[in-house]
């Protein structure tokens, strides 16, 4: 189990239990294992946002540990109630690195978490974790042209624009890359 730590977040592996619970209902709570002991996590109805339609596919990609490799739930710890947290986003890698060692990431935060720097914090931890892998040379991402907040996350982390792309849902995209 890879759990990533930031000053305000835990990035917990996305598990079969989380996927199933979300597909069965709106908000729910789960007790999640962490290196620091059990954490009671509340998953609001707005979590995970845009990725929800592909959750049934995620069930087919869960490994023998019950986790979807490379996918994390951003959980904001509650300083007033130790041992508890709230799911505020989801992020991870999309597949495996290509022959040149490039690996695309995706991320999204619940609207209630916007504007607090949590996406920057989470993506920074994810990128560092990915670059520790010997098969990853470059981390890439794509943002919709109208998503300035997502562009700012990547800019703050040192990503550079490398081109444009197209998506049926989002339209024209900006492509990004980061090499340490």
């Amino acid at each position: 189990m890879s759990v990533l730590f930031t000053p305000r977040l835990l990035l917990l592996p996305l598990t079969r239990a989380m996927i199933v619970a979300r597909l069965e209902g709106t908000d729910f709570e789960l007790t999640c294992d962490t290196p620091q002991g059990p954490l009671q996590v509340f998953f609001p109805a707005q979590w995970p946002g845009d990725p929800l339609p592909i959750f049934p596919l995620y069930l087919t990609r869960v490994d023998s540990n019950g986790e979807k490799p490379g996918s994390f739930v951003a959980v904001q710890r509650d300083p007033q109630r130790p041992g508890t947290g709230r799911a505020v986003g989801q992020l991870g890698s999309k597949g495996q690195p290509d022959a040149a060692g490039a690996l695309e990431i995706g991320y999204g935060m619940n609207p209630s978490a916007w504007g607090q720097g949590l996406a920057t914090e989470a993506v920074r931890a994810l990128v560092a974790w990915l670059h520790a892998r010997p098969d990853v040379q470059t981390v890439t991402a794509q943002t919709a042209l109208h998503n300035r907040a997502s562009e700012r996350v990547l800019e703050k982390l040192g990503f550079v624009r490398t081109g444009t792309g197209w998506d049926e849902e989002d339209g024209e995209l900006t492509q990004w890359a980061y090499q340490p």
Side-chain angles (χ1 to χ4, degrees):
M1 164 182 31
S2 293
V3 176
L4 309 181
F5 295 86
T6 78
R8 298 178 289 169
L9 301 170
L10 287 175
L11 302 184
L12 301 177
L14 178 64
T15 66
R16 174 183 301 281
M18 293 170 187
I19 296 167
V20 168
R22 182 57 179 94
L23 289 172
E24 290 176 348
T26 54
D27 14 327
F28 61 93
E29 285 192 19
L30 282 178
T31 300
C32 301
D33 293 326
T34 77
Q36 299 169 329
L39 181 70
Q40 188 67 29
V41 179
F42 175 70
F43 292 79
Q46 60 186 230
W47 179 86
D50 292 343
L52 184 58
I54 59 174
F55 265 33
L57 176 63
Y58 283 3
L59 282 175
T60 68
R61 301 208 172 141
V62 173
D63 65 16
S64 61
N65 296 322
E67 300 173 359
K68 179 170 177 309
S71 293
F72 295 91
V73 177
V75 175
Q76 187 170 20
R77 294 174 287 226
D78 185 343
Q80 305 302 317
R81 296 176 49 221
T84 65
R86 179 182 192 86
V88 295
Q90 185 176 327
L91 64 161
S93 57
K94 297 181 177 183
Q96 296 297 318
D98 66 16
L103 181 58
E104 184 179 355
I105 62 168
Y107 55 93
M109 303 302 278
N110 301 352
S112 63
W114 292 353
Q116 301 175 42
L118 294 172
T120 302
E121 200 172 302
V123 174
R124 178 180 288 121
L126 175 64
V127 169
W129 181 74
L130 290 172
H131 272 293
R133 290 175 42 176
D135 59 340
V136 176
Q137 303 303 311
T138 305
V139 175
T140 65
Q142 297 185 81
T143 57
L145 289 184
H146 63 274
N147 191 344
R148 183 67 186 129
S150 193
E151 289 182 343
R152 282 292 301 140
V153 167
L154 298 175
E155 289 169 348
K156 287 188 262 184
L157 296 175
F159 279 74
V160 295
R161 287 177 172 88
T162 59
T164 59
W166 179 261
D167 178 74
E168 287 297 320
E169 185 177 322
D170 293 321
E172 192 171 0
L173 303 170
T174 302
Q175 297 174 337
W176 301 81
Y178 176 82
Q179 292 178 312

